Amino acid sequence: MDNILVHSDEHVGMRVPMKYRDEKAVVRPANLVELIAEVDKIFSEDTVNVDYVHALMESYKSNPADWRAYAKFDPHRYTRNLVSEGNGKYNMMLLCWNEGQGSSIHDHANSHCFMKVLQGSLIETQYYWPAKKGQPMKRKQTTELMLDQCAYIDDTIGLHRVENPSHVDSAITLHLYIPPYSECHCFDENTGKPRTAKVTFWSKYGQRTREAPTESADPDSSK
């Protein structure tokens, strides 16, 4: 059964354990292994506090020694590199962005997305859902995420595109998706037209996969 995710001000009467109700009580994990272990504990519960998870992700201080083995780059596209499958409850992964690489505008297939910067910086541009077919999409807001900052989005907030703004430095982000998903929708910024895109991994647990996404189908393709 999928977890129920709520915000701090929504968990009255819900089954969020007391120790996970106050995001100010988060204990900073010493490393990535501790972060994953704590996320596992949180998602062993039926109901999860989004704000607590957000605070936990942001509290982790990036250390290349923790994640270097998972950081795999591709010169033509940004890469998804699986770190943990979370017993089927979530996927945690490193996304590696070479200079200037970015995603398409996409949704999250009713999943919850946390995105933390481990190296460099990233630009997140949020969009409203298309109101009418054939019309340009409207931007909602643009945010530059710096080292160790964490962002959150779900489909009720809107759509987004993510890109590395630097032309000289690469960027690495840590993503947490609840629940995992294998397909999403990408959108044409000029027309709002959606297309289905398969979500694939460049590597799993530091090892290259045999998955071979196509530029036309995968949301990893540069904008």
Side-chain angles (χ1 to χ4, degrees), residues 64-81:
D66 292 346
W67 46 258
R68 188 179 291 115
Y70 305 108
K72 310 294 182 181
F73 287 86
D74 186 296
H76 306 296
R77 62 195 304 112
Y78 78 79
T79 62
R80 280 185 170 84
N81 304 281

Side-chain angles (χ1 to χ4, degrees), residues 182-193:
S182 58
E183 289 185 346
C184 68
H185 294 98
C186 296
F187 296 81
D188 185 293
E189 185 172 8
N190 294 320
T191 66
K193 183 179 179 180

Side-chain angles (χ1 to χ4, degrees), residues 5-25:
L5 275 74
V6 298
H7 290 272
S8 293
D9 57 359
E10 298 174 330
H11 62 232
V12 176
M14 303 295 285
R15 294 183 179 179
V16 176
M18 287 298 297
K19 63 180 178 178
Y20 298 136
R21 290 191 178 186
D22 184 5
E23 60 270 22
K24 296 178 182 178

Side-chain angles (χ1 to χ4, degrees), residues 13-193:
M14 303 295 285
R15 294 183 179 179
V16 176
M18 287 298 297
K19 63 180 178 178
Y20 298 136
R21 290 191 178 186
D22 184 5
E23 60 270 22
K24 296 178 182 178
V26 162
V27 176
R28 178 183 298 170
N31 50 50
L32 183 59
V33 171
E34 285 193 10
L35 173 62
I36 294 171
E38 187 63 19
V39 171
D40 282 343
K41 292 178 184 176
I42 293 171
F43 284 95
S44 68
E45 306 291 342
D46 292 335
T47 307
V48 174
N49 181 356
V50 169
D51 301 305
Y52 189 95
V53 176
H54 188 283
L56 177 66
M57 290 283 288
E58 192 154 271
S59 73
Y60 165 66
K61 298 303 179 185
S62 177
N63 181 353
D66 292 346
W67 46 258
R68 188 179 291 115
Y70 305 108
K72 310 294 182 181
F73 287 86
D74 186 296
H76 306 296
R77 62 195 304 112
Y78 78 79
T79 62
R80 280 185 170 84
N81 304 281
L82 186 67
V83 175
S84 175
E85 290 182 297
N87 295 323
K89 297 275 190 171
Y90 66 84
N91 278 342
M92 184 181 288
M93 63 192 77
L94 254 66
L95 271 61
C96 296
W97 315 77
N98 273 312
E99 299 86 341
Q101 288 180 338
S103 74
S104 302
I105 301 170
H106 60 278
D107 66 10
H108 293 90
N110 294 315
S111 183
H112 301 259
C113 169
F114 299 86
M115 177 177 65
K116 178 185 175 69
V117 179
L118 299 181
Q119 175 180 297
S121 66
L122 228 59
I123 297 290
E124 180 200 28
T125 304
Q126 293 185 5
Y127 294 80
Y128 294 98
W129 283 84
K132 293 182 179 179
K133 292 182 180 180
Q135 293 187 355
M137 297 182 64
K138 293 184 178 180
R139 297 190 181 193
K140 191 174 184 181
Q141 65 179 31
T142 298
T143 306
E144 183 171 13
L145 300 170
M146 309 304 291
L147 180 66
D148 280 325
Q149 287 186 315
C150 182
Y152 169 80
I153 191 170
D154 62 38
D155 287 347
T156 66
I157 294 173
L159 311 169
H160 77 173
R161 176 173 67 197
V162 181
E163 56 192 305
N164 177 8
S166 177
H167 295 290
V168 293
D169 296 317
S170 61
I172 299 174
T173 46
L174 181 67
H175 292 237
L176 179 64
Y177 297 107
I178 310 101
Y181 60 93
S182 58
E183 289 185 346
C184 68
H185 294 98
C186 296
F187 296 81
D188 185 293
E189 185 172 8
N190 294 320
T191 66
K193 183 179 179 180

